[in-house]
Amino acid sequence: MLYDNLAVNEQGHLTVGGLDTVALAEEFGAPLYVLDEDKLRENCRTYVQALRENMPEGSYPLFAGKALCFKGLYLVLNEEGMGADVVSPGEIYTALAGGFPAEKLYFHGNNKTDEDIAYALDSHVGCFIVDNHQELARLDEAAGVRGIRQRVLLRVTPGIDPHTLQAINTGRIDCQFGVPIETGQAARFVADALSRKNLIVEGFHSHIGSQIFEAEPFCDAVDILLDFAQAMRQAHGFVAETLNLGGGFGVRYLESDPVVDIPGNIRALAQHLRQGCAEKDYPVPKVLLEPGRSIVANAGLTLYRVGGIKTIEGYRSYVTVNGGMTDNPRYALYKAPYTVVPASRMNDAREVTCTVAGRCCESGDLIQENIQLPEMQRDDLLAVLTTGAYNFTMASNYNRLCRPALVMVRNGKARLAVRRQTFADLVACDL
Ligand code: LLP
């Protein structure tokens, strides 16, 4: 099994966190997002502990809400000592509605509107991650009007390509996020920020990409950031208290993917940082990380009910499921790999090569192609593993399909955390 929270019971059914997935689908319906809270907490602890043990005091992980976002999640994150990266007023609203403390929110976004800035300031978010000069000016002004001094980190781009998917790679110079170091623009950005009376500049932020398996690209980013920090100290006497290195550690979607050693990577990163600081005689800054995928992906799976098999003679066999690109658009968007298993018939030989298709009116609505399954029958259950990240949050109502429910599993019990949408929800905004 891909992860240790998955197993097969005597009936040959897939279990998650000890619960029978066939029973879960009967109780809560399908498609269904299932989130194993124990696994989620374990993932949070891995980061919290590794940062606490290896990095200077005050270093901690911020969960990137773009990967998963609903009220109940923020309660767990807070209990586990996580901060949170939020990218929109909607994410701020959700986190606060889930009881998350505003001071542990870090507000991102390359185009924060005046309304966004006002909303975040009035919500007392702890820190803004400022993306550009225009935002600096607007934020400074809005903070001044409110008589506050706002903590900020400045987002810079170190120009690193960690060789991940082009579409989810944000550390290169040519991108819409942050201000590049190499062109000299970041230096002017810092000078501008330091001249603002209503901002407290705490340090720098960079995000180099997603689905990165090793520490090296992060170490490369640290080298570039430290050189930059040193130059800024020489130019302005400014010493960065905090380095936020963004998100991006990868997860195993397939058996053939490597197992990621997160504590080992963080240890290597800490050593590298300390050494770099020692060479420059630079005080070791606090480190923030923004993991999204590696906190929630392997805690989640999606259950689908099979409609049937359609074999196009001489071509291929399609297994249809009662969800698709509406609840998981990642194959349609990125050809993202997933492990698909026959949840109701785990012990049957997987002798049929097939393509899993969703129910949307679009030929690209596929979940995975050319995988091995048993001869699936109508009403069998399929599970797509490792769907905890970027599925729920990227879901849509295309074809007016209702979004699935999300259940959380803990200590052998399941509870509904997000109810299934109804037809009434679909027309709730229609006048
Ligand atoms: N911080 C920043 C500034 C980010 O842009 C991202 C992801 C993260 C943190 C979290 O990265 P993670 O730890 O989850 O890799 N929709 C795509 C992923 C886009 C990621 C964009 N930024 C997908 O489904 O793969």
Side-chain angles (χ1 to χ4, degrees):
M1 278 291 180
L2 205 53
Y3 290 103
D4 62 6
N5 61 335
L6 305 172
V8 178
N9 65 15
E10 313 80 68
Q11 290 108 299
H13 297 169
L14 175 73
T15 64
V16 53
L19 288 181
D20 185 326
T21 53
V22 173
L24 283 174
E26 266 158 30
E27 184 176 354
F28 297 100
L32 184 68
Y33 294 119
V34 183
L35 189 70
D36 179 349
E37 189 177 329
D38 295 313
K39 182 55 91 186
L40 163 70
R41 287 179 184 269
E42 180 187 316
N43 293 339
C44 292
R45 280 171 207 171
T46 299
Y47 273 98
V48 170
Q49 278 170 18
L51 283 168
R52 192 178 290 154
E53 284 164 14
N54 295 287
M55 299 288 191
E57 202 182 327
S59 301
Y60 75 131
L62 317 175
F63 172 70
K66 59 184 84 54
L68 186 63
C69 191
F70 63 92
K71 276 164 54 175
L73 177 66
Y74 284 91
L75 185 88
V76 177
L77 295 172
N78 191 30
E79 281 181 4
E80 293 299 337
M82 305 279 293
D85 140 5
V86 285
V87 299
S88 68
E91 285 190 4
I92 295 173
Y93 183 88
T94 307
L96 296 178
F100 201 79
E103 67 269 17
K104 289 201 298 176
L105 294 178
Y106 286 69
F107 185 29
H108 265 284
N110 65 323
N111 181 18
K112 301 181 185 80
T113 66
D114 294 350
E115 292 76 20
D116 296 349
I117 291 171
Y119 179 76
L121 287 174
D122 293 336
S123 305
H124 308 292
V125 305
C127 188
F128 274 63
I129 295 171
V130 180
D131 182 89
N132 56 63
H133 287 278
Q134 294 92 313
E135 183 186 335
L136 269 185
R138 281 309 167 92
L139 179 59
D140 183 44
E141 192 185 316
V145 168
R146 287 164 178 78
I148 53 177
R149 293 189 72 216
Q150 178 61 46
R151 292 165 47 216
V152 301
L153 294 175
L154 304 177
R155 180 160 181 174
V156 296
T157 35
I160 286 180
D161 184 344
H163 307 293
T164 59
L165 297 173
Q166 177 81 7
I168 55 173
N169 183 338
T170 42
R172 288 169 298 117
I173 289 180
D174 180 10
C175 85
Q176 71 271 50
F177 306 105
V179 182
I181 293 174
E182 199 177 302
T183 59
Q185 287 165 284
R188 298 198 287 279
F189 187 39
V190 174
D192 181 358
L194 293 173
S195 74
R196 304 280 171 180
K197 284 199 212 52
N198 307 307
L199 305 182
I200 303 166
V201 183
E202 295 197 333
F204 305 116
H205 171 281
S206 81
H207 173 78
I208 54 172
S210 206
Q211 192 61 352
I212 302 168
F213 289 95
E214 324 80 22
E216 280 74 32
F218 290 98
C219 292
D220 294 346
V222 162
D223 290 342
I224 296 169
L225 289 173
L226 283 183
D227 283 347
F228 180 66
Q230 177 77 326
M232 293 304 99
R233 178 164 69 169
Q234 281 156 2
H236 309 289
F238 168 73
V239 176
E241 229 174 82
T242 302
L243 279 191
N244 180 334
L245 299 174
F249 281 126
V251 301
R252 254 179 118 209
Y253 286 103
L254 303 176
E255 296 278 354
S256 55
D257 287 336
V259 176
V260 191
D261 177 9
I262 289 172
N265 283 344
I266 291 178
R267 222 175 299 127
L269 192 56
Q271 262 170 15
H272 193 84
L273 175 72
R274 286 181 196 283
Q275 196 182 330
C277 288
E279 281 162 16
K280 295 186 161 57
D281 195 23
Y282 199 93
V284 185
K286 282 186 277 195
V287 170
L288 305 177
L289 294 176
E290 297 173 335
R293 192 189 309 271
S294 51
I295 296 285
V296 287
N298 70 358
L301 57 81
T302 309
L303 300 175
Y304 298 104
R305 194 68 71 190
V306 170
I309 289 201
K310 183 184 285 182
T311 300
I312 312 297
E313 285 171 13
Y315 293 87
R316 60 171 146 175
S317 293
Y318 291 92
V319 172
T320 51
V321 295
N322 63 344
M325 65 191 291
T326 42
D327 58 77
N328 180 0
R330 296 189 71 254
Y331 190 77
L333 276 172
Y334 318 121
K335 289 258 181 294
Y338 280 102
T339 300
V340 182
V341 297
S344 52
R345 302 164 56 181
M346 292 297 284
N347 295 331
D348 292 9
R350 299 177 196 179
E351 286 167 345
V352 184
T353 304
C354 52
T355 286
V356 179
R359 59 173 297 178
C360 292
C361 301
E362 179 156 337
S363 54
D365 180 17
L366 304 176
I367 291 290
Q368 213 59 201
E369 292 178 272
N370 302 321
I371 58 161
Q372 292 299 118
L373 288 174
E375 186 81 32
M376 300 302 283
Q377 309 290 336
R378 191 173 183 85
D379 291 335
D380 269 336
L381 202 65
L382 267 192
V384 181
L385 307 181
T386 331
T387 57
Y390 301 109
N391 278 229
F392 179 88
T393 47
M394 292 173 73
S396 77
N397 287 119
Y398 184 44
N399 291 175
R400 288 253 152 169
L401 296 184
C402 292
R403 291 176 199 230
L406 185 152
V407 297
M408 287 175 93
V409 167
R410 188 176 194 207
N411 294 334
K413 291 207 180 64
R415 68 170 202 283
L416 196 60
V418 182
R419 69 158 171 79
R420 188 175 301 282
Q421 277 188 328
T422 62
F423 296 147
D425 291 326
L426 295 177
V427 296
C429 299
D430 301 5
L431 301 178

